[in-house]
Amino acid sequence: MAARKRGAPPARSARRMLAVPATAAAAALLAAGCGGGGADGEVELRFSWWGADDRHEATQEVIDLFEEKNPGITVTAEYTDWEGYWDKLATSTAANDMPDVVTMEERFLREYSDRGALADLNELEGLDTSNVDELVASSGDVDGQKFGVATGVNVLSVMADPAQFEAAGVEIPDDGAWTWEEYVATSAEITEASGGDIYGSQAMGYNESSFNIYARQHGEALYAEDGSLGFSKKTLEDWFGLVAQMQEEEAQPTPAENVEIEAGGPDQSVISTGSGAMAHFWSNQLAAISGAAEGDVELLRYPGETEFDRTGMYFKPAMYYSVSAGSDHPEEAAKFVDFLLNDVDAGRIILADRGLPANTEVRAAITEDLDEAGTRSAEFVEELRPDIVDGPPPPPIGAGDVVEITRRIVDDVHFGEITPEEAADRFIKEVEAATQQ
């Protein structure tokens, strides 16, 4: 299934609501709890997720299959769009009424686990994680406890439209060896060769994960294991230097166009609209990005993977399945998560909607059922595997705010209002204020 546009998380609002003491609400809801018992002793679970209609329909089909295979357990669906999901989850958590099984995103995993809202999956019987891809198997671990299991894997890539390269008369670089300077130069060359009709690239700085890859290539990271900042100011300043250089050399759209394109999501990307040759997106967004392209969009490795100390690309958990620490039915909740994770029939329904399945056996079993974009994404992931060193730790509390911090600072760099050095100073100051609790 094609990935759908998702907005930026309303993190600050969600954090305020989650931080509200639940004492008063809990006192009024002593008998509520999570899930419940149905008629004739049946167990009722609640499962929450975000997404568009196609995800809702597929997930309900999976729930129906689970109930068919597990008489006595019913699952109530609770879903919304991305924009409202975190406020709703924070409210229910503060009221001691979190759903039994919740879909979690990496920016908020540590926040919910640190507040005791999530169960340690290692302590729950009936959940087998032995076949989870080793490169994301521990991604949901915090301080030795497992608070989330990856639904699937994505990888941040450079997507390239060969038709646009051909129209500009520019060769697609060898992504097995290209450098960051080559990326900038190629992007600028495409813009110039096309007379400005085609931009070489969409702006690359808005996603903090792009900088994380760059930092990892230098033996550093966006965040360290303890949640502190894991990079040097020089590395960040160099990164903002590249962001500024892309704008100065007209390798990307104008600053005003960048703002509009970023707000429009995948549907308004330069590749989707035919106005550019390259863009940075997660691999599971290939179908959405390539839908409007003239031909197949290629997935390319990030520049710099052979240029510095080590490779920086990593497998990102698309999202996590987590279990509420307050669930009245933890064993049944674990059984449901095990089904979502390990059942091949469930995998054939979900396909790559929540990333390529984290369970490698399920991934292999459903590959032939994927659409053309999903198949190419799966092949790309496997080609990368030998060069992936490790994955980053869960982001610290407050990481959701970094999305907006990054956008504001990158916009100021694009418009020439601040230098790369000033951008680095601001980023460090604001991110530390947001994440150091």
Side-chain angles (χ1 to χ4, degrees):
M1 296 179 183
R4 296 303 179 98
K5 170 182 157 187
R6 301 180 187 128
R12 194 175 299 277
S13 172
R15 288 174 60 205
R16 280 202 303 267
M17 298 173 74
L18 183 57
V20 173
T23 307
L29 294 167
L30 285 175
C34 301
D40 302 322
E42 283 196 354
V43 169
E44 296 179 1
L45 300 175
R46 294 159 55 209
F47 175 38
S48 67
W49 69 90
W50 68 81
D53 289 344
D54 53 357
R55 176 173 295 164
H56 303 334
E57 293 168 3
T59 305
Q60 186 58 59
E61 187 176 347
V62 170
I63 288 173
D64 293 342
L65 180 62
F66 173 78
E67 291 178 341
E68 179 183 333
K69 293 186 176 184
N70 295 273
I73 304 177
T74 59
V75 179
T76 300
E78 298 184 9
Y79 55 84
T80 184
D81 59 16
W82 171 268
E83 283 78 6
Y85 182 82
W86 298 104
D87 283 344
K88 182 177 180 181
L89 184 62
T91 301
S92 64
T93 302
N96 196 34
D97 194 35
M98 176 186 274
D100 300 270
V101 178
V102 296
T103 305
M104 188 59 56
E105 207 274 340
E106 67 172 1
R107 295 186 185 100
F108 302 101
L109 183 72
R110 190 185 295 267
E111 184 158 349
Y112 278 82
S113 64
D114 278 9
R115 287 180 166 84
L118 304 180
D120 180 1
L121 301 181
N122 289 326
E123 300 296 322
L124 301 184
E125 295 185 7
L127 174 57
D128 180 10
T129 61
S130 61
N131 289 322
V132 173
D133 192 320
E134 63 180 4
L135 291 172
V136 295
S138 62
S139 61
D141 295 1
V142 178
D143 298 330
Q145 295 178 291
K146 186 177 294 296
F147 295 110
V149 59
T151 65
V153 300
N154 289 329
V155 63
L156 195 58
S157 64
V158 176
M159 296 190 185
D161 186 347
Q164 302 288 27
F165 274 84
E166 183 177 355
V170 177
E171 292 278 340
I172 296 180
D174 175 8
D175 70 329
W178 64 340
T179 66
W180 282 103
E181 286 300 327
E182 187 176 2
Y183 173 80
V184 175
T186 300
S187 299
E189 183 182 1
I190 291 171
T191 304
E192 182 179 6
S194 67
D197 293 334
I198 301 170
Y199 290 114
S201 174
Q202 187 164 317
M204 67 183 186
Y206 286 112
N207 190 333
E208 75 272 24
S209 295
S210 294
F211 168 65
N212 196 12
I213 291 175
Y214 183 80
R216 284 162 56 85
Q217 289 172 345
H218 289 75
E220 303 174 13
L222 177 56
Y223 303 117
E225 288 286 345
D226 63 0
S228 63
L229 300 186
F231 56 87
S232 66
K233 179 186 173 182
K234 182 182 184 307
T235 298
L236 180 61
E237 188 176 334
D238 289 345
W239 170 253
F240 280 125
L242 289 172
V243 171
Q245 187 180 356
M246 287 285 289
Q247 195 66 66
E248 292 164 0
E249 298 190 13
E250 300 182 347
Q252 62 187 29
T254 67
E257 288 172 329
N258 289 332
V259 174
E260 183 178 352
I261 291 168
E262 176 64 16
D267 292 343
Q268 295 302 312
S269 74
V270 297
I271 295 180
S272 296
T273 60
S275 60
M278 293 185 287
H280 298 231
F281 282 100
W282 296 101
S283 56
N284 73 319
Q285 295 176 296
L286 178 62
I289 298 299
S290 61
E294 294 182 18
D296 287 341
V297 173
E298 292 189 14
L299 291 164
L300 305 180
R301 297 169 185 251
Y302 249 57
E305 286 291 89
T306 59
E307 184 179 3
F308 301 110
D309 300 335
R310 45 157 281 172
T311 60
M313 296 180 72
Y314 59 91
F315 289 171
K316 176 189 178 297
M319 54 193 81
Y320 295 101
Y321 295 127
S322 297
V323 172
S324 168
S327 174
D328 290 335
H329 307 288
E331 291 185 7
E332 289 83 358
K335 189 173 187 178
F336 180 54
V337 173
D338 183 83
F339 177 81
L340 294 170
L341 184 69
N342 299 323
D343 189 274
V344 173
D345 292 331
R348 288 199 172 101
I349 297 171
I350 298 172
L351 294 174
D353 180 62
R354 287 173 165 88
L356 293 169
N359 182 317
T360 54
E361 291 187 356
V362 173
R363 188 187 306 169
I366 63 96
T367 298
E368 61 184 19
D369 299 308
L370 295 172
D371 60 16
E372 189 267 344
T375 299
R376 290 198 292 118
S377 294
E379 292 172 349
F380 183 67
V381 165
E382 289 307 309
E383 289 172 3
L384 288 175
R385 179 178 296 279
D387 298 321
I388 300 292
V389 179
D390 52 25
I397 294 174
D401 290 347
V402 178
V403 176
E404 184 58 32
I405 291 171
T406 302
R407 286 177 179 169
R408 284 191 283 102
I409 293 175
V410 167
D411 277 339
D412 286 347
V413 172
H414 289 162
F415 280 99
E417 296 180 1
I418 58 176
T419 66
E421 181 179 6
E422 290 169 334
D425 286 334
R426 267 186 53 189
F427 185 90
I428 291 171
K429 180 180 179 180
E430 293 186 28
V431 173
E432 283 185 336
T435 61
Q436 304 306 308
Q437 306 298 312

